[in-house]
Amino acid sequence: MERASQITFFLLLIIHFGAAQNATTSGADEFPVGVILDLDSLGGKMTRTSILMALEDFYAVHRNYSPKLVLHIRDSKSNNVQAASAALDLLENYSVQVIIGPQTSSQAAFVSDLGNKTQVPVISFTATSPSLYSGSLPYFVRATLSDSTQVNSIASLIKAYGWRQVVPIYEETDYGRGVIPYLIDALQEIDARVPYRSVIPLSATTEQITQELYKLMTMQTRVFVVHMSPDLASILFTKAKEVGMMKKGFVWIMTDGLTNVIDSMDPSVMDAMNGVLGVKFYTPKSAELDNFTIRWNRRLQIDNPNDPPLKPTIFELWGYDTIWAVAQAVENLGIKNKTSFQKPAVARNMTSLGTSVYGPDLLKTILQYKFRGLSGHFDLSGRQLQASTFQIINVVGKGWQQIGFWTAENGISRRLYHGEAMPHHSGLASDLNPVIWPGKSTEIPRGWEAPVNGKKLRVGVHVSVYPQFMTSGKDPITGATKASGLSIDVFEEAVKRLPYALPYEYVAFGTTNDTSSGGYDDFIYQVYLKKYDVAIGDITISHNRTSYVDFTLPYTESGVAMVVPAKSSRTNKAWIFVEPLSRGLWLRSIGLLFYTWFVVCILELLENNINITGEVLRNIGIMTFFSLFGDNRVRHLLSRIVLIVWVFFFLVLSASYTANLATMLTIRQLNPTITDIHDLRRSGDYVGCTHGSYVQSLLEQLNFDKSKIKTYSTYDGFYSALSKGSKNGGIAAFIHEVPYIRLFLARNCKGYTMVPFYKAAGFGYAFPKGSPLVGDISKAILSVIGGDTINQIEKKWIGVGYENNCNNAGRAPDPDELTFGSFRGLFKLNVAITTSCFVVAVIIYLYPRNEQRGQNGEQAQGNGGEQAGDRQPGHNGGQAQENGGGQAGGEQPIQNGEQAQGNGGGQPGHNGAQAQGNGGEQPGHNGEQAQGNGGEQAGGAMVQQSPMGVQEETGQQTSEDARGGMVQLSLVRVEEVIGQQTSDHTHDGSTVTDTGRRSLST
């Protein structure tokens, strides 16, 4: 294009060479500015009105500014050469210092070349081609947005609705072609493809456009991005409605070149565009803009009375702001000198136009000036207007509605957030307002349809080593390819669940129509070569294959594992009886045992239980197992509570121990002969895999020697090799995908086990890159495997419960040892109750008594010959208990712990003596106990005297016959504890002092 512009520039110089008039000398208060517009077009007329009003408004506000701009408007007549000719005329004859326009990008390219040579700034507010912005055109300023700035907003919109394929429709001009590379790059970033580009020439007839639309209808893609001039777009949308492409299921998106002028389009065209989406530069509302719109409409009707009422577009606003920017820059520069061009000495050559005196400084001043105009923030510091916000609209009826916004910072959103914290958004369609799609549909189109030309989907199939997964053949009658197996049934069931009809036909792999060598990689590569539309079967999803095909979600479990011989063993460890419980549980249990014993011992000591003394281990056993019920060795109630809790804990722990030990001793454990893939590689044994499977390349990546890898094409082949073993000409392990191994183990339960070692994605179906079918088929697969359908399919091809029929699917895990965590609550309960009982017992023991049993130190004395019948009851702490409640003769009973003393006349008895009598009995001395009450007999009594106390125990029965009745007393234990006893025997008398406590119990 640069070469063409130079040739054109040379021709125009010849045409204008010899002009009679040189640069017109302007008045002191005038600054010439050239304007090049297409005055025959509606856009040119609208722009002319806008810039004239801008000039009037500026100097109405700034009346004292000088010099003032003088506009020299020329018509380009929609021709590039005419636009360049008009620029030469303005430069030579009017010495313009700035050129505003032209309207199209191709015209701007010619005029900008002239501006560079003369150093005159060329400012266009309608030329949007990205190719104009380059270092080779330093004097070109774009007072509009580059088309490249909108592609991210379009890509975000496509991503929000989940469309995977897009067809751009653009005109065959610099304007149309300029945005396509940027659009494709933006679509690739969101993983969307462009399967086809529709290019329409400016000279295309309506028949040609209709033919192109019919061609698009035969394709799957239903998402179209339109980038062309408004006139050509009007014809396109009108014809699209006629051929049926503006109905439900189609998606049309306009670039901002069309959306910005949507308000100026014909109502009939708007009716044909119903449901179309578009992006446009967002213009903030203001009172100045409303006032300008009213005045602009009035002025446009005056200048063009035959045209219908219209609304100003963003281009008219940019034109208005451009005039203000230039006028203010001229004022800021302070131009006073009349000389505007420096002419060369030789006038008859390419540089006869000279260079502008003010051009460089004026360009710099324009780029530095920033202000808020009718279009918003107006900033040309980067030699082009900076994009800020795009508005997303939806054409509805005769107008349009706003559905959201796009900004570089926040992406798409339902509304703008000015200085507010934007809430989290997903970037999906839910972040936009509802859309009325073509055909007045509210359902989001999926972006593609099955082709309507009757062409069926070509589904590639092959023959698997495992016929349960895939097998194919020819129908003997029709000759069509038939296929069956688990992979086929899953695919057919998924197609049935699609929300649309999808006709397909099977194509066998290995025919003359494809270039194959029989491997899975070659089979999948046929999809990349477009021999198949999809390849199905037991195809493993791997990373290297995703570089040229897209996979659906897997329909089987994933992973690669080894099939190795397994040896069965039972546990024969000598110390296995300690393994059911963890070390921590053993130690804590023993500690709890000793703690319980300690507390029980303390409690019994407080109760004065003589059984607590003796051997420690013997007492622990006795108290733990024999003292709870029916035995009286443990006397304290709190001790019994502590032991009950301990026994409960012991029963629970012992039951758990027994169950876990039984599991360890009886469970059958399978130990694989090889447990690690790296050990297998280092051993140098032979390994096997399926021929053509990706597992072979995986083994090579794991540094296996190629000579040690054997491939097999049949099931019987690798089964026989695995049975022989590596040393007998076979293999030590067979490496395969997990689904195959499950099938193998279902048929060979005994003697083999599986050792997983590598994660894989499972089996899936391969589609061409960017195919819109991938998402729909994946959703259908999830529906299939998420219900009972997959179980029925597996039952059909593999068998009932094939995963559970064989227990060799892996090594049986060892039972877990019981840990302290499993009994933490029981431990806490035991310790809490035991400690509570201990605390309660100590408090009871230490609590002072509130009542005194008698008067301490008082003694009763008597003089000689005192008989038992005449004795008065004594005092001072002694206690006597009678059996049977009788009285002896005239003797008054000893009451409530009194002590009797007598001097003279009494005959002391001896230790261990037996006394019988019927009244009048004299009590014995030295701790002797007299029992009376009519023929009472006390036999076998043993009296033990000590400085601290006396204990008397009888071991035989005593019979009493009172008033014709028989009372049997057995197991009588008499315990007498005397704190202090002092006996004096004299001929004059005896004094017995007995202090303490005396208790008789039965």
Side-chain angles (χ1 to χ4, degrees), residues 496-509:
K496 292 178 183 178
R497 303 192 181 200
L498 294 176
Y500 47 86
L502 183 65
Y504 60 90
E505 61 181 358
Y506 294 123
V507 180
F509 176 59

Side-chain angles (χ1 to χ4, degrees), residues 10 32 47 103 183 212 232 263 268 275 292 304 307 334 355-356 447 488 504 603 746 749 776 791 912 918 954 989 997:
F10 177 75
T47 302
Q103 287 182 244
L183 178 62
E212 180 66 18
L232 189 59
D263 293 325
S268 62
F292 170 77
N304 306 279
D307 294 334
T355 57
S356 173
I488 295 296
Y504 60 90
L603 294 177
C749 280
D776 292 343
N791 295 330
N918 295 318
T954 62
R997 185 184 60 175

Side-chain angles (χ1 to χ4, degrees), residues 334-362:
I335 297 176
K336 302 298 182 182
N337 191 355
K338 295 182 180 181
T339 303
S340 57
F341 275 87
Q342 292 181 350
K343 296 290 183 177
V346 180
R348 296 179 180 271
N349 55 29
M350 293 289 292
T351 60
S352 61
L353 289 176
T355 57
S356 173
V357 175
Y358 307 116
D361 293 335
L362 182 60

